[in-house]
């Protein structure tokens, strides 16, 4: 472990500290500021030449600023002759733009993948990509971690009776099926239609949630539209209680106050994205992915199997 170094951008400093505490190493010293003209300014303040370096940065809002920080930090480390650079991206942004849905649209997730590789990343470590196919956008190794075991373990401690796992859209069926097996629950699937980026409608549902506790499983909560519309449909179909789990808590627009108002019985997320104090509430439980990421970093560094973590 003597040749391991961990650096962090500014997007999620608490998670970076927790990961370093898990690894029992200090966070690498880097100055991250801005030039007067607003450009990102980075200086690595320690020798990195013989080291296996990991850079932690969630691509949360302000998304483009955090991407530039990550790219410039990787560039600085590469020019400092780091032995190997792994980009640790707990939340990978632009992941919903992973295919064209209309002519003349970009595939922005592929562009972000290209930028990371061109900057000098040798390896990627990320958590719950919106679409697993994004792994294939990279020609370097990608470790794609799942938060499902952490979220499911927590749900088990709640001793929920008659649980029904619910996918709030067709794209989330595989994720919900995984939770269904983890919890020994029934499954329901909602047909969703996205009207605008911040507006959805629920069309219909397959499955029975009468007198059950519904558990909505999603990869991210952005505006919360999906969550609240799904919860309303589940209640109208007879669900007694509605919980939700999601890996990434973007919590844009009115998502946090709506969760705090108790529209669901409870929402469980992880800390892949830093959640400011004003967005916390008794209805929101935040679980840490630091041990998962820390252990994965340890295994990559020591050339141990990462997949063994999940079997
Ligand atoms: C959609 O495909 C995703 O899995 C999420 O359901 C969606 O991104 C959540 O966004 P919002 O909270 O804005 O409905």
């Amino acid at each position: 472990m003597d040749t391991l170094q961990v650096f962090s951008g500014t997007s999620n400093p608490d998670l970076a500290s927790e990961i370093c505490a898990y690894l029992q190493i200090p966070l690498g010293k880097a100055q991250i500021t801005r030039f007067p003209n607003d450009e990102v300014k980075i200086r690595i303040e320690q020798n990195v030449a013989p080291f296996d370096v990991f850079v932690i940065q969630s691509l949360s809002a302000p998304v483009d600023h955090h991407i530039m920080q990550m790219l410039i930090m990787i560039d600085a480390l590469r020019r400092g002759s780091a032995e190997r650079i792994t980009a640790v991206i707990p939340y990978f942004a632009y992941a919903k733009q992973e295919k064209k849905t209309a002519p003349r649209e970009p595939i922005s997730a592929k562009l972000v993948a290209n930028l990371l590789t061109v900057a000098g990343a040798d390896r990627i470590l990320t958590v719950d990509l919106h679409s697993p196919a994004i792994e294939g956008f990279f020609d370097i190794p990608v470790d794609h971690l799942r938060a499902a075991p952490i979220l499911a373990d927590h749900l088990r401690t709640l001793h929920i009776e008659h649980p029904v796992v619910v996918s709030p859209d067709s794209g989330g069926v595989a994720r919900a099926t995984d939770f269904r097996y983890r919890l020994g629950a029934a499954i329901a699937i909602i047909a969703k239609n996205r009207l605008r980026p911040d507006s959805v409608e629920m069309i219909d549902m397959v499955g029975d949630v009468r007198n059950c506790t519904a558990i909505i499983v999603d990869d991210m909560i952005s505006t919360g539209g999906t969550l609240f519309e799904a919860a309303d449909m589940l209640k109208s179909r007879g669900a007694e209680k509605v919980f939700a789990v999601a890996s990434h808590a973007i919590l844009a627009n009115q998502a946090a106050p709506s969760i705090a108002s108790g529209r669901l019985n409870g929402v469980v997320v992880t800390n892949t994205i830093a959640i400011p104090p004003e967005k916390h509430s008794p209805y929101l439980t935040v679980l840490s992915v630091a041990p998962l990421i820390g252990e994965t970093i340890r295994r990559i560094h020591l050339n141990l199997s990462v997949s063994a973590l999940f079997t």
Side-chain angles (χ1 to χ4, degrees), residues 96 130 169 192 194 218-226:
K96 289 207 276 188
H130 175 65
D169 51 39
K192 174 176 99 176
R194 187 165 284 284
D218 212 345
D219 61 330
M220 63 180 88
I221 302 170
S222 183
T223 63
T226 301

Side-chain angles (χ1 to χ4, degrees), residues 96 130 168-172 175 192 194 196-200 202 217-229 248 250-253 255:
K96 289 207 276 188
H130 175 65
D169 51 39
S170 57
R175 199 177 298 119
K192 174 176 99 176
R194 187 165 284 284
R196 293 187 303 278
D198 61 350
S199 167
V200 296
M202 298 303 168
V217 174
D218 212 345
D219 61 330
M220 63 180 88
I221 302 170
S222 183
T223 63
T226 301
L227 200 62
F228 303 124
E229 291 294 327
H248 308 299
I250 297 169
L251 304 181
N253 299 359

Side-chain angles (χ1 to χ4, degrees), residues 61-83:
V63 176
D64 299 340
H65 176 65
H66 287 153
I67 290 175
M68 279 312 289
Q69 268 190 5
M70 178 63 137
L71 298 173
I72 291 173
M73 189 170 261
I74 292 172
D75 187 72
L77 291 164
R78 186 170 56 90
R79 290 173 196 282
S81 304
E83 179 74 19

Side-chain angles (χ1 to χ4, degrees), residues 1-179:
M1 300 288 274
D2 288 350
T3 54
L4 171 65
Q5 286 187 349
V6 172
F7 289 86
S8 174
T10 60
S11 66
N12 200 339
D14 291 347
L15 177 61
S17 301
E18 264 191 76
I19 291 170
C20 285
Y22 180 91
L23 293 165
Q24 299 183 324
I25 58 169
L27 186 65
K29 288 194 175 64
Q31 231 186 60
I32 307 175
T33 52
R34 286 187 194 247
F35 285 102
N37 64 2
D38 215 35
E39 291 169 2
V40 173
K41 178 172 189 280
I42 288 186
R43 175 167 296 145
I44 306 294
E45 295 183 314
Q46 60 193 54
N47 177 25
V48 294
F51 291 97
D52 185 17
V53 177
F54 292 75
V55 187
I56 301 168
Q57 178 81 317
S58 256
L59 306 184
S60 53
V63 176
D64 299 340
H65 176 65
H66 287 153
I67 290 175
M68 279 312 289
Q69 268 190 5
M70 178 63 137
L71 298 173
I72 291 173
M73 189 170 261
I74 292 172
D75 187 72
L77 291 164
R78 186 170 56 90
R79 290 173 196 282
S81 304
E83 179 74 19
R84 177 174 67 174
I85 303 167
T86 300
V88 181
I89 308 173
Y91 166 66
F92 191 94
Y94 284 103
K96 289 207 276 188
Q97 298 184 47
E98 92 289 19
K99 58 181 176 299
K100 289 174 71 166
T101 54
R104 296 176 296 285
E105 279 190 346
I107 302 181
S108 309
K110 171 64 179 154
L111 177 62
V112 174
N114 287 348
L115 290 170
L116 286 160
T117 310
V118 168
D122 299 300
R123 188 170 184 129
I124 304 291
L125 194 172
T126 189
V127 182
D128 284 329
L129 289 165
H130 175 65
S131 165
I134 293 170
E135 260 186 78
F137 292 0
F138 292 93
D139 289 325
I140 53 176
V142 177
D143 295 291
H144 184 193
L145 307 182
R146 305 304 202 279
I150 299 170
L151 295 165
D153 279 353
H154 177 79
L155 287 173
R156 272 193 288 272
T157 67
L158 303 180
H159 303 293
I160 292 171
E161 285 184 6
H162 309 300
V164 180
V165 167
V166 181
S167 174
D169 51 39
S170 57
V173 175
R175 199 177 298 119
T177 305
D178 174 60
F179 267 83

